Amino acid sequence: MKKQILSVVLGSLVSSMAAAAQWGYEGAEGPSHWAEMSSEFDTCATGKNQSPINLTHMVKGDLPALKINYVKGGQQIVNNGHTVQVNYTPGSSLEVDGHKYELKQFHFHTPSENNIEGESFPMEAHFVHADKDGNLAVVAVMFKIGDFNPELEKAWSQMPVIAGDQQQLKHVVSAANLLPQDHNYMRFNGSLTTPPCTEGVSWFVMKGYDTASKEQIEHFAHTMHHNNNRPLQAMNARVVVQ
C-alpha cells in the first residue's frame, strides 16, 4: 500500500486509482464526493486524522529542530490537472528527531488548504518527503502577496498550461530558497489532502511565510482554472504542537 501511496505522491497516478475515479475540486467530482468514487477513497470520509485543518489552540511543546538539507534539485515541472508540481532529484533531505526523509516533490494550492488561527492565505506550498519505508512528511509554507519571487519564477516561467503536460526546467529550482528564513514550526498528525486521503502523514507547518507577487499567484490560479484546496477537516482528538 505504501508503494501505491508513494506513486500518488510522485504524481504518477498508477494502478486502479487512476481508473477507479477521476476526482476533482468541483461539482460531482469535488471533495464531498471523493469517498463515493472508489472504495480506495473511503478514508476521505471515515478518517479521523484528516488534512487540512485550522491550526488553533496550539499546545506548547519541546519540538526538535528541523534539519533541512536541500540542494538544488527541482528539474521537472508537471501540471497533473490537480496542481502544478516540481519533481525533485534525489539528494535533499529533512531530518527531525533522528528520522530522515527524502524530498520527492513540492506543489501548490490556492487558496491555502491549512488555516492558521482562522486565517487563510493566498497560496500554500507542500514539500513532500518520504522515508525509506514510505512514511510521509509534509512541510507546509504559506505565501502572502508581496515581493516578486525570483526562485518561484524559475518554475513559473515554464508552467505547463495543459493538464498532463510537463517541462524540463532550464533553471534548476532550489526548494531551500522557497522556505522562510525562520524554521520554527507547528506540528500535527494528518493525511494526504487528496485521494486516497491516507493518514499517518507527519505535518510541519512553518510559522514564517514566503511571498510572491499578485501576478505570480494569479498565474497559478488561472492555470488551474479553479481553486484546488480541500475544505478544512475536523480536528477530532488531535492537538497541534508548537
Side-chain angles (χ1 to χ4, degrees), residues 8-46:
V8 174
V9 167
L10 293 174
S12 54
L13 299 176
V14 295
S15 73
S16 59
M17 286 186 182
Q22 294 298 320
W23 60 270
Y25 288 97
E26 297 179 311
E29 298 177 349
S32 63
H33 298 285
W34 287 348
E36 303 166 8
M37 296 178 177
S38 167
S39 60
E40 293 176 316
F41 298 173
D42 284 349
T43 307
C44 297
T46 63

Short mmCIF file of all heavy atoms in Angstrom, two decimals, residues 8-46:
data_model
loop_
_atom_site.label_atom_id
_atom_site.label_comp_id
_atom_site.label_asym_id
_atom_site.label_seq_id
_atom_site.Cartn_x
_atom_site.Cartn_y
_atom_site.Cartn_z
N VAL A 8 1.31 7.94 -5.88
CA VAL A 8 0.41 9.09 -5.91
C VAL A 8 1.17 10.37 -5.56
O VAL A 8 1.02 11.40 -6.21
CB VAL A 8 -0.77 8.88 -4.94
CG1 VAL A 8 -1.63 10.12 -4.87
CG2 VAL A 8 -1.60 7.69 -5.37
N VAL A 9 2.00 10.30 -4.54
CA VAL A 9 2.78 11.45 -4.10
C VAL A 9 3.69 11.95 -5.20
O VAL A 9 3.87 13.15 -5.41
CB VAL A 9 3.60 11.09 -2.84
CG1 VAL A 9 4.65 12.14 -2.55
CG2 VAL A 9 2.68 10.94 -1.65
N LEU A 10 4.28 11.01 -5.94
CA LEU A 10 5.19 11.38 -7.01
C LEU A 10 4.46 11.85 -8.26
O LEU A 10 5.08 12.30 -9.22
CB LEU A 10 6.09 10.19 -7.36
CG LEU A 10 7.08 9.80 -6.25
CD1 LEU A 10 7.80 8.53 -6.63
CD2 LEU A 10 8.07 10.92 -5.98
N GLY A 11 3.14 11.74 -8.25
CA GLY A 11 2.37 12.30 -9.35
C GLY A 11 2.03 11.30 -10.43
O GLY A 11 1.38 11.64 -11.41
N SER A 12 2.48 10.06 -10.32
CA SER A 12 2.15 9.05 -11.32
C SER A 12 0.96 8.26 -10.80
O SER A 12 1.11 7.30 -10.07
CB SER A 12 3.34 8.13 -11.57
OG SER A 12 3.81 7.57 -10.36
N LEU A 13 -0.23 8.69 -11.17
CA LEU A 13 -1.45 8.05 -10.66
C LEU A 13 -1.62 6.69 -11.34
O LEU A 13 -2.21 6.57 -12.39
CB LEU A 13 -2.67 8.94 -10.91
CG LEU A 13 -2.60 10.30 -10.23
CD1 LEU A 13 -3.80 11.13 -10.62
CD2 LEU A 13 -2.53 10.16 -8.72
N VAL A 14 -1.04 5.68 -10.70
CA VAL A 14 -0.96 4.37 -11.32
C VAL A 14 -2.02 3.44 -10.76
O VAL A 14 -2.84 3.80 -9.92
CB VAL A 14 0.43 3.75 -11.07
CG1 VAL A 14 1.49 4.57 -11.75
CG2 VAL A 14 0.73 3.62 -9.58
N SER A 15 -1.98 2.20 -11.26
CA SER A 15 -2.83 1.10 -10.83
C SER A 15 -4.29 1.50 -10.90
O SER A 15 -4.71 2.28 -11.74
CB SER A 15 -2.44 0.62 -9.43
OG SER A 15 -2.84 1.54 -8.45
N SER A 16 -5.10 0.94 -10.00
CA SER A 16 -6.55 1.12 -10.11
C SER A 16 -6.99 2.51 -9.71
O SER A 16 -8.11 2.91 -9.98
CB SER A 16 -7.26 0.09 -9.23
OG SER A 16 -6.86 0.24 -7.89
N MET A 17 -6.12 3.29 -9.04
CA MET A 17 -6.56 4.61 -8.58
C MET A 17 -6.93 5.51 -9.74
O MET A 17 -7.87 6.28 -9.69
CB MET A 17 -5.48 5.27 -7.73
CG MET A 17 -5.37 4.65 -6.35
SD MET A 17 -4.23 5.55 -5.32
CE MET A 17 -4.30 4.52 -3.86
N ALA A 18 -6.14 5.44 -10.82
CA ALA A 18 -6.41 6.29 -11.96
C ALA A 18 -7.69 5.86 -12.66
O ALA A 18 -8.48 6.69 -13.11
CB ALA A 18 -5.24 6.25 -12.93
N ALA A 19 -7.89 4.53 -12.75
CA ALA A 19 -9.05 4.02 -13.47
C ALA A 19 -10.32 4.14 -12.65
O ALA A 19 -11.41 4.30 -13.18
CB ALA A 19 -8.81 2.56 -13.85
N ALA A 20 -10.18 4.07 -11.32
CA ALA A 20 -11.37 3.99 -10.48
C ALA A 20 -12.16 5.28 -10.45
O ALA A 20 -13.38 5.26 -10.38
CB ALA A 20 -10.96 3.59 -9.07
N ALA A 21 -11.46 6.40 -10.47
CA ALA A 21 -12.18 7.66 -10.28
C ALA A 21 -11.38 8.83 -10.80
O ALA A 21 -10.17 8.90 -10.60
CB ALA A 21 -12.48 7.86 -8.80
N GLN A 22 -12.06 9.74 -11.47
CA GLN A 22 -11.45 10.99 -11.90
C GLN A 22 -11.94 12.06 -10.94
O GLN A 22 -12.95 12.70 -11.15
CB GLN A 22 -11.85 11.30 -13.35
CG GLN A 22 -11.30 10.31 -14.35
CD GLN A 22 -9.78 10.29 -14.38
OE1 GLN A 22 -9.13 11.33 -14.31
NE2 GLN A 22 -9.20 9.11 -14.50
N TRP A 23 -11.20 12.25 -9.85
CA TRP A 23 -11.63 13.18 -8.82
C TRP A 23 -11.20 14.60 -9.20
O TRP A 23 -10.34 14.81 -10.04
CB TRP A 23 -11.06 12.78 -7.47
CG TRP A 23 -9.56 12.73 -7.41
CD1 TRP A 23 -8.76 11.68 -7.69
CD2 TRP A 23 -8.68 13.82 -7.06
NE1 TRP A 23 -7.43 12.02 -7.55
CE2 TRP A 23 -7.37 13.32 -7.16
CE3 TRP A 23 -8.89 15.14 -6.68
CZ2 TRP A 23 -6.25 14.11 -6.89
CZ3 TRP A 23 -7.78 15.94 -6.41
CH2 TRP A 23 -6.48 15.42 -6.52
N GLY A 24 -11.83 15.56 -8.54
CA GLY A 24 -11.50 16.95 -8.79
C GLY A 24 -11.87 17.80 -7.58
O GLY A 24 -11.94 17.31 -6.45
N TYR A 25 -12.11 19.07 -7.82
CA TYR A 25 -12.41 20.01 -6.74
C TYR A 25 -13.77 20.68 -6.88
O TYR A 25 -14.15 21.48 -6.04
CB TYR A 25 -11.33 21.09 -6.67
CG TYR A 25 -10.01 20.57 -6.14
CD1 TYR A 25 -9.00 20.19 -6.99
CD2 TYR A 25 -9.78 20.45 -4.77
CE1 TYR A 25 -7.79 19.71 -6.51
CE2 TYR A 25 -8.59 19.97 -4.27
CZ TYR A 25 -7.60 19.60 -5.14
OH TYR A 25 -6.41 19.11 -4.65
N GLU A 26 -14.51 20.33 -7.93
CA GLU A 26 -15.79 20.99 -8.17
C GLU A 26 -16.88 19.97 -8.47
O GLU A 26 -16.61 18.88 -8.99
CB GLU A 26 -15.67 21.96 -9.35
CG GLU A 26 -14.69 23.11 -9.14
CD GLU A 26 -14.58 24.02 -10.34
OE1 GLU A 26 -14.41 23.51 -11.46
OE2 GLU A 26 -14.67 25.26 -10.16
N GLY A 27 -18.12 20.34 -8.14
CA GLY A 27 -19.29 19.57 -8.52
C GLY A 27 -19.26 18.12 -8.08
O GLY A 27 -18.85 17.78 -6.97
N ALA A 28 -19.68 17.23 -8.96
CA ALA A 28 -19.80 15.81 -8.64
C ALA A 28 -18.45 15.13 -8.42
O ALA A 28 -18.39 14.02 -7.90
CB ALA A 28 -20.56 15.09 -9.76
N GLU A 29 -17.36 15.78 -8.82
CA GLU A 29 -16.02 15.23 -8.63
C GLU A 29 -15.33 15.86 -7.42
O GLU A 29 -14.18 15.56 -7.14
CB GLU A 29 -15.16 15.47 -9.87
CG GLU A 29 -15.69 14.79 -11.13
CD GLU A 29 -14.85 15.11 -12.35
OE1 GLU A 29 -14.00 16.02 -12.26
OE2 GLU A 29 -15.04 14.45 -13.39
N GLY A 30 -16.05 16.75 -6.71
CA GLY A 30 -15.46 17.52 -5.64
C GLY A 30 -15.23 16.74 -4.36
O GLY A 30 -15.65 15.58 -4.22
N PRO A 31 -14.59 17.38 -3.37
CA PRO A 31 -14.20 16.71 -2.13
C PRO A 31 -15.32 16.00 -1.39
O PRO A 31 -15.09 14.95 -0.79
CB PRO A 31 -13.62 17.86 -1.30
CG PRO A 31 -13.09 18.83 -2.30
CD PRO A 31 -14.06 18.76 -3.44
N SER A 32 -16.51 16.55 -1.41
CA SER A 32 -17.61 15.91 -0.68
C SER A 32 -18.04 14.59 -1.32
O SER A 32 -18.80 13.83 -0.71
CB SER A 32 -18.81 16.86 -0.58
OG SER A 32 -19.32 17.16 -1.88
N HIS A 33 -17.56 14.32 -2.52
CA HIS A 33 -17.93 13.08 -3.23
C HIS A 33 -16.76 12.12 -3.39
O HIS A 33 -16.95 11.04 -3.97
CB HIS A 33 -18.50 13.43 -4.61
CG HIS A 33 -19.75 14.25 -4.57
ND1 HIS A 33 -20.97 13.73 -4.23
CD2 HIS A 33 -19.95 15.57 -4.82
CE1 HIS A 33 -21.89 14.70 -4.27
NE2 HIS A 33 -21.29 15.82 -4.63
N TRP A 34 -15.58 12.47 -2.92
CA TRP A 34 -14.41 11.62 -3.16
C TRP A 34 -14.63 10.19 -2.66
O TRP A 34 -14.32 9.23 -3.36
CB TRP A 34 -13.17 12.21 -2.49
CG TRP A 34 -12.63 13.43 -3.18
CD1 TRP A 34 -12.97 13.90 -4.41
CD2 TRP A 34 -11.63 14.33 -2.67
NE1 TRP A 34 -12.25 15.05 -4.70
CE2 TRP A 34 -11.43 15.32 -3.65
CE3 TRP A 34 -10.90 14.39 -1.48
CZ2 TRP A 34 -10.52 16.37 -3.47
CZ3 TRP A 34 -9.99 15.42 -1.30
CH2 TRP A 34 -9.80 16.40 -2.30
N ALA A 35 -15.16 10.05 -1.46
CA ALA A 35 -15.32 8.72 -0.88
C ALA A 35 -16.31 7.87 -1.66
O ALA A 35 -16.27 6.62 -1.58
CB ALA A 35 -15.74 8.82 0.57
N GLU A 36 -17.20 8.50 -2.43
CA GLU A 36 -18.20 7.76 -3.20
C GLU A 36 -17.62 7.19 -4.48
O GLU A 36 -18.22 6.29 -5.09
CB GLU A 36 -19.37 8.69 -3.56
CG GLU A 36 -20.05 9.34 -2.36
CD GLU A 36 -20.94 10.50 -2.78
OE1 GLU A 36 -21.15 10.68 -4.01
OE2 GLU A 36 -21.45 11.21 -1.90
N MET A 37 -16.46 7.67 -4.88
CA MET A 37 -15.92 7.33 -6.20
C MET A 37 -15.22 5.98 -6.24
O MET A 37 -15.18 5.33 -7.28
CB MET A 37 -14.93 8.42 -6.64
CG MET A 37 -15.58 9.77 -6.84
SD MET A 37 -14.35 11.00 -7.32
CE MET A 37 -15.43 12.42 -7.56
N SER A 38 -14.65 5.57 -5.12
CA SER A 38 -13.90 4.33 -5.09
C SER A 38 -13.78 3.87 -3.64
O SER A 38 -13.64 4.69 -2.73
CB SER A 38 -12.51 4.52 -5.69
OG SER A 38 -11.66 3.44 -5.41
N SER A 39 -13.77 2.54 -3.45
CA SER A 39 -13.56 2.03 -2.10
C SER A 39 -12.18 2.38 -1.59
O SER A 39 -11.96 2.45 -0.37
CB SER A 39 -13.74 0.50 -2.09
OG SER A 39 -12.81 -0.12 -2.96
N GLU A 40 -11.23 2.65 -2.50
CA GLU A 40 -9.87 3.04 -2.10
C GLU A 40 -9.84 4.43 -1.50
O GLU A 40 -8.86 4.82 -0.87
CB GLU A 40 -8.93 2.96 -3.29
CG GLU A 40 -8.71 1.54 -3.79
CD GLU A 40 -7.86 1.48 -5.03
OE1 GLU A 40 -8.09 2.30 -5.94
OE2 GLU A 40 -6.98 0.61 -5.10
N PHE A 41 -10.94 5.19 -1.70
CA PHE A 41 -11.02 6.55 -1.18
C PHE A 41 -11.86 6.64 0.09
O PHE A 41 -12.18 7.74 0.54
CB PHE A 41 -11.63 7.48 -2.24
CG PHE A 41 -10.84 7.61 -3.52
CD1 PHE A 41 -11.38 8.31 -4.59
CD2 PHE A 41 -9.59 7.04 -3.66
CE1 PHE A 41 -10.66 8.45 -5.78
CE2 PHE A 41 -8.87 7.16 -4.85
CZ PHE A 41 -9.42 7.86 -5.92
N ASP A 42 -12.22 5.51 0.69
CA ASP A 42 -13.10 5.52 1.85
C ASP A 42 -12.58 6.42 2.98
O ASP A 42 -13.37 7.07 3.67
CB ASP A 42 -13.28 4.09 2.40
CG ASP A 42 -14.22 3.26 1.55
OD1 ASP A 42 -14.89 3.83 0.67
OD2 ASP A 42 -14.27 2.03 1.77
N THR A 43 -11.26 6.44 3.17
CA THR A 43 -10.68 7.21 4.27
C THR A 43 -10.99 8.69 4.16
O THR A 43 -11.00 9.41 5.17
CB THR A 43 -9.15 6.98 4.33
OG1 THR A 43 -8.89 5.58 4.38
CG2 THR A 43 -8.54 7.63 5.56
N CYS A 44 -11.27 9.18 2.95
CA CYS A 44 -11.62 10.59 2.78
C CYS A 44 -12.87 10.96 3.59
O CYS A 44 -13.04 12.13 3.98
CB CYS A 44 -11.86 10.90 1.30
SG CYS A 44 -10.43 10.67 0.22
N ALA A 45 -13.72 9.96 3.87
CA ALA A 45 -14.94 10.20 4.65
C ALA A 45 -14.85 9.63 6.06
O ALA A 45 -15.42 10.19 6.99
CB ALA A 45 -16.15 9.60 3.94
N THR A 46 -14.15 8.51 6.22
CA THR A 46 -14.15 7.82 7.51
C THR A 46 -12.96 8.16 8.40
O THR A 46 -12.97 7.85 9.59
CB THR A 46 -14.18 6.30 7.30
OG1 THR A 46 -12.99 5.89 6.61
CG2 THR A 46 -15.41 5.88 6.49
#
